[in-house]
Amino acid sequence: MALGTATDPYELRFDTGRISLDLIATTHPAERLDSVDALRAWITGSGLVPPGTPLAHADPTWLTGFRELRGETARLVRGRPVPRNRPYELALARVNELALAAPPAPRAVPGEDGTLVRELTGPPRCAALLGALARDAVELLTDPVARASLRQCAGDNCPIVYVDTSRGRRRRWCSSEVCGNRERVARHRRRVALSR
């Protein structure tokens, strides 16, 4: 596998504070869900399934489903409910429909060292995973405190939306290591250029 592909762990980000927002973030700075392998890596990395969960049965229809949910959720997160806003109403209806599916059923089993670990009762179905993500979006959108904590990253051209749980609610970037670092480097370069 070539370096820099979407399945490299450092390319997948899970720092928005909600799994449904992490799904939206897979569009930046380029499409992250560009293959079924990348989707499998995202599903596992997001914690949607326990590590080691078999996902060999995932196929290209899963990509379509996850991308559709991502688009509808983004429309709801970035939009506001206003009367007769047809795209918003359709997105809300679709997310509510997907949320009807029961999420994958977990169970506790003894691990290699005897401590209990979580696993699923069987290979997860796409609808079950989409249902879990849609339920997270519904919870986010209907929780006034979480909704009020949504922030747009202040990074240059960064479209990522995150939940600001920082002290004083002053977080500016989706990630201090990514967008925050870029901003600090840009400020430093401007200072150096002005001092010359």
Side-chain angles (χ1 to χ4, degrees):
M1 178 184 312
L3 287 178
T5 61
T7 52
D8 288 330
Y10 70 86
E11 291 285 336
L12 299 172
R13 294 180 50 192
F14 305 101
D15 51 7
T16 65
R18 294 300 286 252
I19 193 170
S20 54
L21 296 177
D22 288 337
L23 179 62
I24 295 171
T26 61
T27 62
H28 181 71
E31 176 63 64
R32 298 288 182 226
L33 302 181
D34 59 357
S35 69
V36 175
D37 285 340
L39 178 60
R40 287 182 187 120
W42 187 87
I43 290 169
T44 301
S46 71
L48 201 52
V49 298
T53 299
L55 294 170
H57 60 292
D59 62 41
T61 63
W62 286 39
L63 274 175
T64 303
F66 275 77
R67 288 176 180 167
E68 177 198 13
L69 177 58
R70 177 180 68 188
E72 303 298 12
T73 303
R75 181 173 282 118
L76 296 173
V77 167
R78 293 187 175 117
R80 294 286 178 242
V82 293
R84 291 179 290 283
N85 180 343
R86 191 78 175 133
Y88 188 93
E89 291 170 356
L90 290 173
L92 185 58
R94 184 63 178 141
V95 168
N96 284 333
E97 178 185 347
L98 290 170
L100 291 172
R107 65 182 180 168
V109 297
E112 289 182 18
D113 64 357
T115 61
L116 293 179
V117 296
R118 181 175 65 109
E119 72 174 31
L120 300 182
T121 57
R125 294 177 303 119
C126 183
L129 297 174
L130 292 174
L133 285 164
R135 285 174 184 220
D136 183 71
V138 168
E139 290 172 16
L140 171 66
L141 296 166
T142 60
D143 179 345
V145 174
R147 184 78 192 214
S149 297
L150 290 179
R151 302 286 184 270
Q152 171 72 49
C153 181
D156 191 29
N157 297 318
C158 182
I160 293 180
V161 175
Y162 60 90
V163 178
D164 183 1
T165 57
S166 68
R167 192 177 231 181
R169 305 292 187 256
R170 292 191 175 112
R171 182 174 160 191
R172 294 187 53 214
W173 303 294
C174 61
S175 167
S176 181
E177 293 78 25
V178 179
C179 287
N181 191 47
R182 283 188 198 128
E183 178 69 24
R184 287 186 290 276
V185 168
R187 266 187 295 191
H188 174 72
R189 287 181 179 158
R190 284 191 297 269
R191 281 193 305 268
V192 168
L194 289 174
S195 67
R196 290 184 178 166

